[in-house]
Amino acid sequence: MAFESLGDKLQGVFKKLRGKGRLTESDIKAAMREIKLALLEADVNFKIVKEFVNNVSEKALGTEILESLTPAQQIVKIVNDELTEMIGGETARLEYAEKPPTVIMMCGLQGAGKTTATAKLALSLSKQGRRPLMVACDIYRPAAIKQLQVLGKQIDRPVFEMGADTSPVQIAKAAVEHAKKHGNDPVILDTAGRLHIDDELMNELSDIRWAVSPKEILLVVDAMTGQDAVNVAKEFNDRLDITGVILSKLDGDTRGGAALSVKQVTGKPIKFASVGEKLSDLEPFHPDRMASRILGMGDILSLVDKAQAEFDEKQAAELEQKLRKQQFDLEDFLEQLNQIKKLGSFSQILSMMPGMDRKMLDMVDTEENAKRMVHIEAIIQSMTPQERRNPKIIAANRKIRIAKGSGTRVQDVNQLLKQFTEMQKLMKQFSGGKQQKLLKRLRKNR
């Protein structure tokens, strides 16, 4: 994942500070040198690193910090606040036109992931109740139109195209008219890219901009391209006056520091981040949450957002009732596994938990664990409905049949049943009176 190396180094610095108790001025200066080196190694722009370290140093060397009982914790807070400010401060949202349809123009270099980002954004907006129309304005790259059509089918959203013989400007204008007639909003233009910035590309994008007046011009930046990403962002912003950035491939680079420089260099916010290969792996970019994740403080809010988007409220209510009445069975267990899989990989989920050891995350998504998940599903699916609802009836002969049906061993069946029994015991404790009062209190305070 992006920022993994940076996060490890910063957490190492804080660990040293916590181990000292009271801090001296030399302790803080030594820590600032390590933080500066960590940011530079992560590919953060040099000028931005210098300003960042100066700001943190000035606040960290204050008398109230040095003389406090928990100076290390306060320095972590200062770094967290400054990091949040550096990557954007407040969360930036999409802006919509007063009179629909809103036109969103996607731009960027070839290979940055514009077409995939277009589909991801369309899917995300569809889940919010909107009716996006994707528009194939890239008439140069072989199979670009076909790629967008395939992605459109996958997410069940319409794609407007006029082939490769019509100019992108005409396609964009016709798409807006089509959207007005068919009630589509927003219109997302997938424009052409180049291997590098040139006048021809910029002139075409500028022509599209003047023809359809997009409310948003989103630059798709490949987070894996290092300082080039910053240079590209600056050039596009100078020529097109972009409104925001989508960071693509944020799951693919352990440094990713260049992405931290984009906001400072362009003055334009990062609005979305692509965090995986699935079309559902596009998240609003929350600077405070990202800073928290980099510093190993978790990101529970994003995990909650993800869960609310993917989980069925009716199923959740039914599950709560079953837990209260201690009626949770293997059918419910299988259903919960499928729900969790929608959230992403286990390492993605655990990375949002505060204080998670990164080495542990590396161990989670192993091939062995992936096979184990497949085996669990196969075992449960090989049971009869009666066996799933009442696992106690699964005797030796049934275990042999289930193992054969699932392509596993009897030992695997035994292990699953044992783990499920232990889980039921834990849930029985959780369904007690005190815990129910706690849940009511939490709901009241939400």
Side-chain angles (χ1 to χ4, degrees):
M1 287 293 288
F3 315 124
E4 186 177 317
S5 178
L6 173 61
D8 287 343
K9 286 172 183 172
L10 292 179
Q11 288 169 49
V13 174
F14 299 143
K15 192 173 182 181
K16 287 180 189 175
L17 292 177
R18 290 191 191 101
K20 289 179 179 291
R22 284 299 183 99
L23 298 179
T24 65
E25 197 169 312
S26 61
D27 289 331
I28 293 176
K29 285 183 176 177
M32 290 305 111
R33 279 195 297 272
E34 288 189 53
I35 289 173
K36 181 179 180 180
L37 187 61
L39 289 167
L40 290 172
E41 286 180 355
D43 231 358
V44 182
N45 181 277
F46 174 75
K47 289 181 181 177
I48 294 168
V49 171
K50 188 178 178 182
E51 184 182 344
F52 176 84
V53 172
N54 287 342
N55 290 344
V56 174
S57 297
E58 188 179 324
K59 293 175 182 177
L61 288 169
T63 307
E64 68 277 10
I65 300 294
L66 290 172
E67 292 183 357
S68 70
L69 293 173
T70 57
Q73 289 179 10
Q74 294 197 43
I75 289 171
V76 172
K77 184 183 183 305
I78 291 169
V79 172
N80 183 60
D81 291 345
E82 288 297 322
L83 191 56
T84 299
E85 195 58 36
M86 181 172 83
I87 57 181
E90 295 182 359
T91 301
R93 310 284 181 184
L94 282 180
E95 292 189 15
Y96 293 94
E98 290 182 13
K99 186 179 179 182
T102 296
V103 178
I104 300 173
M105 181 173 159
M106 308 286 275
C107 59
L109 291 185
Q110 202 171 92
K114 280 191 310 302
T115 303
T116 305
T118 298
K120 286 183 174 183
L121 182 59
L123 176 60
S124 176
L125 296 177
S126 294
K127 289 179 179 179
Q128 296 172 29
R130 296 189 177 272
R131 301 182 67 243
L133 174 70
M134 297 186 289
V135 184
C137 289
D138 184 354
I139 62 172
Y140 310 106
R141 180 169 63 89
I145 297 172
K146 182 65 178 174
Q147 182 189 358
L148 194 63
Q149 288 174 324
V150 169
L151 292 171
K153 284 183 180 177
Q154 288 179 19
I155 64 172
D156 194 27
R157 294 314 312 159
V159 173
F160 183 89
E161 59 88 16
M162 295 175 70
D165 297 324
T166 309
S167 78
V169 174
Q170 290 303 118
I171 294 170
K173 288 168 72 174
V176 172
E177 291 305 313
H178 177 91
K180 287 177 182 177
K181 290 177 184 175
H182 295 84
N184 292 108
D185 183 38
V187 175
I188 309 176
L189 308 178
D190 178 31
T191 66
R194 299 284 193 281
L195 292 175
H196 53 84
I197 294 170
D198 58 31
D199 287 335
E200 187 181 359
L201 166 67
M202 287 302 178
N203 289 338
E204 179 177 287
L205 294 175
S206 186
D207 288 344
I208 294 173
R209 179 189 170 201
W210 290 116
V212 294
S213 302
K215 186 70 176 177
E216 292 275 4
I217 301 177
L218 299 180
L219 174 66
V220 182
V221 172
D222 183 344
M224 296 174 67
T225 54
Q227 279 302 314
D228 282 345
V230 180
N231 299 332
V232 166
K234 187 177 185 308
E235 186 74 19
F236 269 88
N237 187 52
D238 289 346
R239 301 281 288 269
L240 287 174
D241 191 21
I242 63 173
T243 59
V245 173
I246 295 179
L247 288 179
S248 68
K249 308 176 188 177
L250 203 58
D251 57 320
D253 186 12
T254 58
R255 295 185 305 167
L260 301 180
S261 311
V262 168
K263 170 64 167 66
Q264 292 294 316
V265 169
T266 65
K268 302 300 168 62
I270 301 168
K271 295 199 172 184
F272 294 94
S274 179
V275 295
E277 294 181 1
K278 293 180 183 176
L279 292 176
S280 57
D281 288 338
L282 184 76
E283 298 178 355
F285 188 82
H286 302 282
D288 55 341
R289 300 184 192 181
M290 183 57 72
S292 182
R293 284 167 80 167
I294 292 170
L295 299 179
M297 293 153 63
D299 183 6
I300 292 297
L301 289 175
S302 287
L303 184 57
V304 170
D305 288 347
K306 216 170 169 57
Q308 286 178 338
E310 296 293 348
F311 282 14
D312 185 296
E313 286 188 22
K314 186 181 176 185
Q315 287 179 331
E318 290 173 355
L319 177 63
E320 185 182 358
Q321 285 298 316
K322 288 187 176 185
L323 289 174
R324 283 172 184 261
K325 296 176 182 178
Q326 298 170 31
Q327 295 174 343
F328 186 82
D329 57 31
L330 281 165
E331 283 189 337
D332 300 313
F333 181 55
L334 182 60
E335 194 173 278
Q336 292 313 300
L337 281 181
N338 289 327
Q339 292 274 30
I340 289 170
K341 279 163 65 178
K342 291 179 184 177
L343 294 179
S345 68
F346 279 110
S347 66
Q348 275 184 317
I349 297 168
L350 292 176
S351 69
M352 297 181 187
M353 301 291 188
M356 284 302 302
D357 186 343
R358 291 180 189 273
K359 290 178 182 175
M360 181 181 170
L361 297 182
D362 291 337
M363 295 167 60
V364 171
D365 279 333
T366 60
E367 190 177 336
E368 186 180 337
N369 282 333
K371 284 182 181 177
R372 175 70 186 144
M373 289 295 295
V374 172
H375 287 168
I376 288 172
E377 284 188 67
I379 289 169
I380 297 174
Q381 286 169 346
S382 294
M383 296 176 184
T384 64
Q386 188 183 14
E387 289 167 345
R388 292 181 204 169
R389 295 185 194 117
N390 184 16
K392 290 180 181 178
I393 68 172
I394 303 177
N397 59 333
R398 290 178 184 256
K399 290 176 184 177
I400 293 169
R401 190 202 79 243
I402 292 166
K404 285 182 179 178
S406 60
T408 59
R409 304 168 303 167
V410 172
Q411 295 98 301
D412 297 322
V413 178
N414 283 330
Q415 188 179 3
L416 172 60
L417 293 173
K418 183 181 177 182
Q419 288 174 339
F420 182 71
T421 302
E422 293 299 318
M423 187 189 298
Q424 279 186 315
K425 287 179 184 176
L426 283 172
M427 288 182 169
K428 191 173 182 180
Q429 292 173 10
F430 186 74
S431 62
K434 287 182 181 178
Q435 286 79 358
Q436 291 305 320
K437 287 178 184 176
L438 177 62
L439 283 171
K440 283 180 182 176
R441 198 179 308 152
L442 286 171
R443 283 197 197 93
K444 197 178 288 183
N445 294 331
R446 279 173 66 178

